[in-house]
Amino acid sequence: MKILVTGGAGYIGSTVCSALEDKGHTPIIIDSLITGKKNYISNRIFYKGDISEKEILTEIFRDHPEIHTTIHCAGLIIVPESSKDPYKYYNENLIKSIQLFNNLLTLGQTRLIFSSTASLYKSSDGTMVTEKSELLPQSPYARTKMSIEMVLKDFSNSYNFKAISLRYFNPIGADPKMRTGPHTQNPSHVVGKLIESINSESNIFTITGTNWNTRDGTGIRDYVHVWDLAQAHVSAIEYFDNIVTQDTPYNVINLGTGEGTTVLELVTAFEEINGTKIIKVSSPPRQGDVAGGYTNRDKALNLLKWTPRMSIEQGLADALKWFNKNNVQSS
Ligand SMILES: NC(=O)c1ccc[n+]([C@@H]2O[C@H](COP(=O)([O-])OP(=O)(O)OC[C@H]3O[C@@H](n4cnc5c(N)ncnc54)[C@H](O)[C@@H]3O)[C@@H](O)[C@H]2O)c1
């Protein structure tokens, strides 16, 4: 099947493209390259453009009328930047997504899978969440994602349109075949910070928040290997018409391992994989930090028949391998 992937030159979109290709599907990419990498789309069908531009979408569907589904990964993703400049995030993520959905509709496209995020959940106490758990996004970034979900729900209820939102927990690692991986130069995520610390002279890693109500006081997250995440998208394509139906034209699925890992546990696993000790320094939580949580994965199992296969150790090892190959930090 041909699948349109917005943001296919980015970290997750490019990995999804590899997973689609490995299963015999053909990704068609639209990406403005605002953050994405040109070398992630080499040998792939690629249209350089903005998701909001109707002309380029029209051209894509004229060239590939058999496109089955759109996977919408394009967007801006830096949480602190979204607090500094919320207009930019609402414009780039929300407004442009609405334009994309409307243009897809007018071009007769009725199927969409959306890259959403677990940062919509209130989930602040280190416990498990389900798709029904309370939402309370903490940043403008997360609020743009929640707003897009609301638009998708309304479009699906009112138009001939069906959508699935996949709420990612904490993606780590890189394509195991090292085709693509994280590309952020100044990582704000924990794995990127760990790689940064072992490449600095001091070897210091700062743990922000050590007094949470978790088993060792550090924050808890559900780290999911990006390759497992990509496989879930292939499943969402293949089971699309069972997941969203006339009665349920919009659906939400959490994508995580179902296991919480504390920051301290992650650092220990990283030390073992890398064979070096890291100097750990504690500091107070950053503004907006939460204890975190992990997902129940019954819905992903039932609807996608998807079980994550790769361990945290594999995710850390692949992130390191990718860094050593490309000399970029993991995000
Ligand atoms: N990386 C994570 O930890 C994470 C977690 C949860 C959800 N997500 C979501 O997954 C998606 C992909 O994230 P990523 O980590 O791959 O980010 P990324 O920055 O690597 O990729 C985003 C891609 O979208 C492209 N893009 C941005 N705005 C565009 C526009 N208007 N038109 C065309 N292309 C545009 C960029 O050039 C880039 O290639 C995002 O929607 C993000 O919100 C990511």
Short mmCIF file of all heavy atoms in Angstrom, two decimals, residues 28 46-48 53-65 67 107:
data_model
loop_
_atom_site.label_atom_id
_atom_site.label_comp_id
_atom_site.label_asym_id
_atom_site.label_seq_id
_atom_site.Cartn_x
_atom_site.Cartn_y
_atom_site.Cartn_z
N ILE A 28 5.15 7.69 0.99
CA ILE A 28 5.29 8.91 0.18
C ILE A 28 5.45 10.02 1.22
O ILE A 28 4.58 10.20 2.07
CB ILE A 28 4.00 9.21 -0.63
CG1 ILE A 28 3.45 7.94 -1.31
CG2 ILE A 28 4.20 10.37 -1.58
CD1 ILE A 28 4.15 7.48 -2.52
N PHE A 46 9.66 11.68 -2.28
CA PHE A 46 9.69 12.83 -1.36
C PHE A 46 9.17 14.10 -2.04
O PHE A 46 9.56 14.40 -3.16
CB PHE A 46 11.13 13.05 -0.89
CG PHE A 46 11.32 14.32 -0.09
CD1 PHE A 46 10.61 14.52 1.09
CD2 PHE A 46 12.20 15.31 -0.51
CE1 PHE A 46 10.77 15.69 1.82
CE2 PHE A 46 12.38 16.48 0.22
CZ PHE A 46 11.66 16.67 1.39
N TYR A 47 8.32 14.81 -1.34
CA TYR A 47 7.84 16.13 -1.77
C TYR A 47 8.24 17.13 -0.69
O TYR A 47 7.84 16.97 0.47
CB TYR A 47 6.32 16.13 -1.93
CG TYR A 47 5.85 15.25 -3.07
CD1 TYR A 47 5.74 13.86 -2.91
CD2 TYR A 47 5.53 15.79 -4.32
CE1 TYR A 47 5.33 13.04 -3.95
CE2 TYR A 47 5.11 14.98 -5.36
CZ TYR A 47 5.01 13.60 -5.18
OH TYR A 47 4.60 12.80 -6.21
N LYS A 48 9.03 18.11 -1.09
CA LYS A 48 9.43 19.13 -0.10
C LYS A 48 8.34 20.20 -0.05
O LYS A 48 8.04 20.85 -1.06
CB LYS A 48 10.76 19.76 -0.49
CG LYS A 48 11.26 20.76 0.55
CD LYS A 48 12.69 21.19 0.26
CE LYS A 48 13.28 22.06 1.34
NZ LYS A 48 12.62 23.31 1.58
N GLU A 53 0.01 23.38 2.62
CA GLU A 53 -0.11 23.83 1.22
C GLU A 53 -0.99 22.88 0.41
O GLU A 53 -0.63 21.71 0.21
CB GLU A 53 1.28 23.89 0.57
CG GLU A 53 2.16 24.99 1.10
CD GLU A 53 3.61 24.80 0.65
OE1 GLU A 53 3.86 24.17 -0.38
OE2 GLU A 53 4.48 25.27 1.40
N LYS A 54 -2.09 23.42 -0.09
CA LYS A 54 -3.01 22.57 -0.85
C LYS A 54 -2.41 22.13 -2.19
O LYS A 54 -2.62 21.00 -2.63
CB LYS A 54 -4.33 23.32 -1.10
CG LYS A 54 -5.32 22.43 -1.81
CD LYS A 54 -6.74 22.78 -1.61
CE LYS A 54 -7.60 21.64 -2.16
NZ LYS A 54 -8.97 22.00 -2.30
N GLU A 55 -1.62 23.03 -2.82
CA GLU A 55 -1.09 22.72 -4.16
C GLU A 55 -0.24 21.45 -4.11
O GLU A 55 -0.36 20.58 -4.97
CB GLU A 55 -0.22 23.88 -4.70
CG GLU A 55 -0.96 25.19 -4.92
CD GLU A 55 -1.34 25.88 -3.60
OE1 GLU A 55 -0.64 25.71 -2.59
OE2 GLU A 55 -2.39 26.57 -3.58
N ILE A 56 0.61 21.38 -3.11
CA ILE A 56 1.53 20.23 -3.08
C ILE A 56 0.78 18.93 -2.75
O ILE A 56 1.06 17.88 -3.30
CB ILE A 56 2.72 20.50 -2.12
CG1 ILE A 56 3.81 19.46 -2.39
CG2 ILE A 56 2.36 20.49 -0.68
CD1 ILE A 56 5.18 19.95 -2.04
N LEU A 57 -0.24 19.05 -1.88
CA LEU A 57 -1.04 17.85 -1.58
C LEU A 57 -1.78 17.38 -2.82
O LEU A 57 -1.87 16.18 -3.11
CB LEU A 57 -2.07 18.17 -0.49
CG LEU A 57 -1.65 18.02 0.96
CD1 LEU A 57 -2.87 18.17 1.85
CD2 LEU A 57 -0.99 16.67 1.25
N THR A 58 -2.30 18.37 -3.58
CA THR A 58 -3.02 18.03 -4.82
C THR A 58 -2.07 17.30 -5.77
O THR A 58 -2.44 16.29 -6.37
CB THR A 58 -3.56 19.33 -5.48
OG1 THR A 58 -4.28 20.05 -4.48
CG2 THR A 58 -4.46 19.03 -6.65
N GLU A 59 -0.85 17.81 -5.87
CA GLU A 59 0.15 17.18 -6.74
C GLU A 59 0.44 15.73 -6.27
O GLU A 59 0.49 14.81 -7.08
CB GLU A 59 1.43 18.02 -6.70
CG GLU A 59 2.48 17.59 -7.69
CD GLU A 59 3.81 18.33 -7.45
OE1 GLU A 59 3.80 19.42 -6.84
OE2 GLU A 59 4.85 17.78 -7.85
N ILE A 60 0.59 15.58 -4.96
CA ILE A 60 0.89 14.24 -4.41
C ILE A 60 -0.22 13.25 -4.78
O ILE A 60 0.04 12.14 -5.25
CB ILE A 60 1.08 14.31 -2.88
CG1 ILE A 60 2.35 15.08 -2.53
CG2 ILE A 60 1.12 12.92 -2.26
CD1 ILE A 60 2.53 15.38 -1.04
N PHE A 61 -1.47 13.68 -4.57
CA PHE A 61 -2.57 12.73 -4.82
C PHE A 61 -2.84 12.56 -6.31
O PHE A 61 -3.38 11.52 -6.73
CB PHE A 61 -3.83 13.14 -4.04
CG PHE A 61 -3.68 12.82 -2.58
CD1 PHE A 61 -3.36 13.81 -1.66
CD2 PHE A 61 -3.80 11.52 -2.12
CE1 PHE A 61 -3.17 13.52 -0.31
CE2 PHE A 61 -3.61 11.21 -0.77
CZ PHE A 61 -3.30 12.21 0.13
N ARG A 62 -2.42 13.54 -7.13
CA ARG A 62 -2.51 13.36 -8.59
C ARG A 62 -1.48 12.30 -9.00
O ARG A 62 -1.77 11.41 -9.78
CB ARG A 62 -2.24 14.68 -9.30
CG ARG A 62 -2.66 14.67 -10.76
CD ARG A 62 -2.54 16.04 -11.41
NE ARG A 62 -1.22 16.60 -11.19
CZ ARG A 62 -1.00 17.84 -10.70
NH1 ARG A 62 -2.00 18.62 -10.38
NH2 ARG A 62 0.23 18.27 -10.53
N ASP A 63 -0.28 12.38 -8.42
CA ASP A 63 0.78 11.41 -8.76
C ASP A 63 0.52 10.04 -8.16
O ASP A 63 0.95 9.03 -8.71
CB ASP A 63 2.15 11.91 -8.24
CG ASP A 63 2.60 13.20 -8.93
OD1 ASP A 63 1.99 13.57 -9.94
OD2 ASP A 63 3.57 13.82 -8.44
N HIS A 64 -0.16 10.01 -7.00
CA HIS A 64 -0.35 8.73 -6.28
C HIS A 64 -1.79 8.61 -5.78
O HIS A 64 -2.05 8.63 -4.58
CB HIS A 64 0.60 8.65 -5.07
CG HIS A 64 2.03 8.90 -5.42
ND1 HIS A 64 2.84 7.95 -5.98
CD2 HIS A 64 2.78 10.02 -5.33
CE1 HIS A 64 4.04 8.46 -6.21
NE2 HIS A 64 4.03 9.72 -5.83
N PRO A 65 -2.74 8.46 -6.72
CA PRO A 65 -4.15 8.44 -6.30
C PRO A 65 -4.49 7.25 -5.40
O PRO A 65 -5.51 7.28 -4.72
CB PRO A 65 -4.91 8.36 -7.63
CG PRO A 65 -3.92 7.93 -8.65
CD PRO A 65 -2.57 8.33 -8.18
N ILE A 67 -3.01 6.29 -2.72
CA ILE A 67 -2.60 6.41 -1.30
C ILE A 67 -3.76 5.98 -0.40
O ILE A 67 -4.89 6.44 -0.55
CB ILE A 67 -2.16 7.86 -0.96
CG1 ILE A 67 -0.80 8.13 -1.62
CG2 ILE A 67 -2.04 8.05 0.55
CD1 ILE A 67 -0.32 9.57 -1.46
N LEU A 107 -9.73 16.38 -0.96
CA LEU A 107 -9.10 15.51 -1.97
C LEU A 107 -9.64 14.07 -1.85
O LEU A 107 -9.12 13.15 -2.47
CB LEU A 107 -7.58 15.52 -1.78
CG LEU A 107 -6.90 16.84 -2.19
CD1 LEU A 107 -5.51 16.96 -1.59
CD2 LEU A 107 -6.83 16.93 -3.71
#
